[in-house]
Amino acid sequence: MILPITAYGDPVLRKVGTDITKDYPKLETLVENMWETMYNASGVGLAAPQIGLPIRLFVIDTTPFSEDEDLSPEDQKALNGFKKVFVNAKIEEETGEEWTFNEGCLSIPDIREDVNRKETIKITYLDENFNEKSETYGGLLARVIQHEYDHIEGILFTDKLSSLKKRLIKGKLSNISKGKINADYRMRFPDMKKGR
């Protein structure tokens, strides 16, 4: 089932997610719905807060990025078919040089900005079967994970921009929260006037 994506301005996007257990109600269905919602919106990642749930769960499928001809063959290969569910994730360390990449977010349509992030991460998490994993990722894979991980920490990519950039996009962000935006997927807007 395709769920509406929570727009910028909703308090759920600012909550630090809570851990979940194996017996979280209808977890398998929730994950299926998240995949369907993400693909419908042409995303490569989706975190539970983006569908209104303040829990530590996100899904990632970077396959669409693997067709980017600006990337090295190694990067393309790493991104192709990378599809994972992350439950109760914790980034243990971020290392390496900071590098810049233009990011967007399904909760913040029509805004893309350059964001600096460290190049390598070590992350521990549970997969959808609650098997423990500890893995290291670099490059664009690390970045996609960092972006989704930020969501379960109540952080948005716009928080990482300079104060000047934040001022420049303030009006756009306000319009998004009021629903004054044309997204080509279902959204839920926090400040939309009722009865419209």
Side-chain angles (χ1 to χ4, degrees), residues 1-194:
M1 184 172 72
I2 294 168
L3 306 167
I5 290 176
T6 304
Y8 178 89
D10 192 302
V12 75
L13 294 174
R14 294 303 185 182
K15 288 191 172 125
V16 175
T18 50
D19 281 354
I20 59 172
T21 57
K22 250 185 183 152
D23 51 10
Y24 187 83
K26 298 191 174 126
L27 182 59
E28 202 174 310
T29 306
L30 171 62
V31 170
E32 277 171 33
N33 291 344
M34 285 176 71
W35 285 126
E36 210 176 323
T37 302
M38 182 188 87
Y39 292 132
N40 177 64
S42 303
V44 292
L46 185 70
Q50 293 181 276
I51 52 161
L53 297 172
I55 58 173
R56 297 185 79 78
L57 169 67
F58 59 88
V59 298
I60 285 173
D61 183 350
T62 57
T63 305
F65 277 156
S66 69
E67 290 146 27
D68 185 340
E69 280 155 23
D70 294 340
L71 298 173
S72 71
E74 298 80 49
D75 275 347
Q76 288 179 330
K77 192 171 177 229
L79 294 161
N80 192 22
F82 183 91
K83 181 177 173 177
K84 283 184 189 271
V85 176
F86 291 79
V87 178
N88 302 345
K90 173 124 185 58
I91 289 184
E92 303 295 342
E93 57 180 16
E94 296 179 298
T95 54
E97 295 292 312
E98 285 210 343
W99 64 293
T100 306
F101 189 80
N102 195 260
E103 292 188 26
C105 178
L106 296 178
S107 293
I108 313 175
D110 284 359
I111 294 181
R112 296 195 64 85
E113 293 291 343
D114 287 346
V115 177
N116 292 323
R117 296 187 189 271
K118 298 259 189 190
E119 63 189 350
T120 307
I121 59 162
K122 183 178 178 203
I123 187 166
T124 52
Y125 67 98
L126 304 170
D127 66 14
E128 62 271 39
N129 302 311
F130 278 72
N131 297 315
E132 279 187 49
K133 306 274 186 181
S134 177
E135 295 164 348
T136 301
Y137 295 104
L140 204 46
L141 270 184
R143 179 171 293 268
V144 175
I145 294 167
Q146 286 163 315
H147 179 107
E148 297 310 323
Y149 180 81
D150 278 352
H151 276 299
I152 63 170
E153 290 289 324
I155 298 165
L156 298 171
F157 84 92
T158 48
D159 299 344
K160 298 184 176 294
L161 304 176
S162 68
S163 44
L164 172 65
K165 272 276 193 267
K166 285 179 188 164
R167 280 202 302 277
L168 292 172
I169 62 170
K170 196 175 174 196
K172 271 187 173 178
L173 291 172
S174 170
N175 282 341
I176 290 170
S177 65
K178 292 176 186 146
K180 294 181 182 171
I181 183 103
N182 287 324
D184 47 12
Y185 45 87
R186 282 177 63 205
M187 291 195 77
R188 202 178 67 222
F189 302 99
D191 299 338
M192 204 164 174
K193 298 275 184 283
K194 299 284 180 263

